[in-house]
Amino acid sequence: MQNPMLKDKTALVTGSTSGIGLGIAKALAEQGANVVFNGFGDAAAIAALQADVSGRCGVQTAYHDADMSKPAEIEAMMKFAADRFGAVDVLVNNAGIQHVANIEEFPVEKWDAIIAINLSSAFHTTRLALPMMKQRNWGRIINIASTHGLVASVQKAAYVAAKHGLVGFTKVTALETARTGVTCNAICPGWTLTPLVQQQIDARAQRDGISNDEAKQAIVAEKQPSGEFVTVEQLAALAVFLCSDAANQVRGAAWNVDGGWVAQ
Ligand code: NAD
């Protein structure tokens, strides 16, 4: 690419060793951004991923293994990114986990972990990124919420609470940065076929004694009028758009990409 849109910018994507975060990190690198990866996984596989992205996109990559449930580790990661690249220009708060159970049976430690990883981590990364972004008068904060940030489903109390919270936090961040070159928006995906969702497909297949394909179809048919999964590439393309100048006045949006889920 002759003059890539994010040349000399640095993107930090939490939970980017898998699924949606990985797709977004790759797409931002393709736009010329240096990338700080984060998330769990096999060290050799992560090193190979970094080498692939650096080689293909001609950008620098780094990796930090901060656990997003631990504020001190998040602080260490943000300092690492600033020391290595000078700043974080694009922050994608993507790391997330799920647990499915009725409220009465919901394990307290799962509630605490989901709130910490899916919601509080975005507060910590944002509070540490904003001074760097404001200093340069440019920044993009993209929070990966969910349709569950807009509507609810049974058995997902912690996840729905965290994602609604993340949409609210997105709006406050957008208002507090409204007169700057920093924007903050949320992307609200519907069912996207990633390891996080595969776990729920496996559980459904086992519960109902059906095949993997039948479970996939059942899960999508319940919620998404299109009858199709969202793809990681579609979400990554929206993230790239939110980084563009065309999105300078897109602020505080919670943009659903969901096959019509929340239109119902
Ligand atoms: P995934 O399981 O494929 O990826 C999750 C990533 O987060 C991995 O890289 C994992 O290592 C990382 N992670 C998990 N816990 C972490 C922690 N404590 N610290 C650091 N990293 C951690 O899941 P995904 O489907 O790609 O989900 C990504 C985001 O998208 C999540 O926030 C999820 O809630 C959201 N989302 C997913 C869907 C979907 O259908 N897949 C729909 C809506 C929203």
Side-chain angles (χ1 to χ4, degrees):
M1 208 179 291
Q2 266 288 299
N3 217 346
M5 183 175 85
L6 296 176
K7 188 173 177 336
D8 299 328
K9 302 265 197 276
T10 297
L12 186 151
V13 185
T14 70
S16 45
T17 52
S18 167
I20 295 169
L22 176 56
I24 291 176
K26 285 180 175 171
L28 296 176
E30 281 160 14
Q31 296 297 324
N34 298 320
V35 174
V36 181
F37 287 94
N38 158 261
F40 301 139
D42 171 63
I46 294 169
L49 169 67
Q50 281 185 252
D52 170 58
V53 171
S54 300
R56 234 170 8 87
C57 305
V59 299
Q60 295 179 57
T61 61
Y63 167 73
H64 196 283
D65 66 356
D67 179 337
M68 287 299 114
S69 68
K70 305 206 163 101
E73 294 189 19
I74 296 173
E75 286 197 25
M77 177 183 73
M78 297 303 287
K79 184 173 182 314
F80 165 82
D83 289 348
R84 174 76 194 269
F85 294 112
V88 171
D89 304 289
V90 178
L91 169 65
V92 183
N93 290 307
N94 166 80
I97 58 167
Q98 177 62 285
H99 186 80
V100 179
N102 286 330
I103 294 169
E104 308 92 291
E105 283 99 44
F106 213 94
V108 171
E109 64 279 8
K110 288 282 183 200
W111 171 277
D112 289 342
I114 289 174
I115 298 297
I117 296 165
N118 296 19
L119 175 60
S120 301
S121 71
F123 161 66
H124 293 295
T125 54
T126 300
R127 73 183 168 80
L128 296 163
L130 276 178
M132 298 187 254
M133 292 178 174
K134 283 182 173 170
Q135 198 195 5
R136 296 175 173 215
N137 199 32
W138 195 91
R140 293 289 188 261
I141 301 174
I142 301 172
N143 294 326
I144 306 306
S146 167
T147 45
H148 285 120
L150 304 169
V151 295
S153 294
V154 293
Q155 299 200 309
K156 295 186 174 175
Y159 189 86
V160 169
K163 296 297 189 181
H164 274 69
L166 188 57
V167 168
F169 181 63
T170 301
K171 293 177 184 174
V172 175
T173 309
L175 291 179
E176 291 189 7
T177 53
R179 288 187 175 269
T180 74
V182 180
T183 71
C184 179
N185 294 286
I187 295 178
C188 297
W191 288 123
T192 311
L193 199 49
T194 67
L196 182 107
V197 165
Q198 188 59 49
Q199 283 171 15
Q200 294 172 65
I201 293 168
D202 294 344
R204 173 68 72 94
Q206 203 181 9
R207 189 195 74 185
D208 296 351
I210 56 178
S211 70
N212 182 57
D213 277 354
E214 286 166 332
K216 268 187 196 163
Q217 276 166 17
I219 275 185
V220 172
E222 249 168 39
K223 298 286 187 183
Q224 284 184 196
S226 69
E228 289 180 23
F229 283 97
V230 176
T231 69
V232 165
E233 291 72 21
Q234 289 160 354
L235 298 171
L238 177 53
V240 168
F241 168 71
L242 290 172
C243 290
S244 72
D245 288 348
N248 277 350
Q249 292 307 320
V250 182
R251 291 168 186 261
W255 192 325
N256 43 309
V257 183
D258 63 357
W261 179 330
V262 304
Q264 298 169 97

